Amino acid sequence: RMSRHAQKLRDHDINPCVAETDATTKCMDDNDYKKDMCTAYFLKYKNCRKFWHSIMMQRRRNGVKPEMPPADERKKILESMG
């Protein structure tokens, strides 16, 4: 059974970067945990976190709830950006 924290990290409505997390983990597994082999995956994850953190802060400043848009709303945000 997963801890509550682990469950939150797997929840697409809470964590917008589940796919990036999984891809990074898979790369590390596939490459015997040699970080330099997975630099691109780490960068994608970092950019994902940075992007959604800025969206969350903007929503917080504007009083929008929930601060992290749910998964379906995030998809629309990404599509509107091209």
Side-chain angles (χ1 to χ4, degrees):
R1 190 176 144 83
M2 279 197 291
S3 70
R4 290 187 98 146
H5 180 71
Q7 285 174 334
K8 275 187 174 177
L9 292 178
R10 301 300 312 156
D11 185 334
H12 289 271
D13 281 330
I14 295 169
N15 180 2
C17 301
V18 173
E20 290 77 2
T21 304
D22 291 348
T24 304
T25 303
K26 183 180 182 329
C27 180
M28 290 292 281
D29 288 345
D30 292 350
N31 290 288
D32 206 25
Y33 291 86
K34 294 186 181 100
K35 277 188 171 178
D36 57 324
M37 302 290 286
C38 302
T39 308
Y41 292 96
F42 285 115
L43 194 60
K44 281 182 190 170
Y45 172 79
K46 189 174 158 189
N47 289 337
C48 179
R49 297 295 303 170
K50 195 187 295 183
F51 175 78
W52 289 112
H53 181 75
S54 69
I55 296 284
M56 196 172 80
M57 296 310 290
Q58 186 181 342
R59 287 169 67 101
R60 185 177 292 165
R61 279 192 298 275
N62 296 338
V64 178
K65 296 281 182 192
E67 289 166 357
M68 178 55 71
D72 57 337
E73 197 177 323
R74 287 197 308 265
K75 190 175 179 195
K76 288 176 191 152
I77 291 169
L78 289 174
E79 285 168 358
S80 75
M81 297 177 74

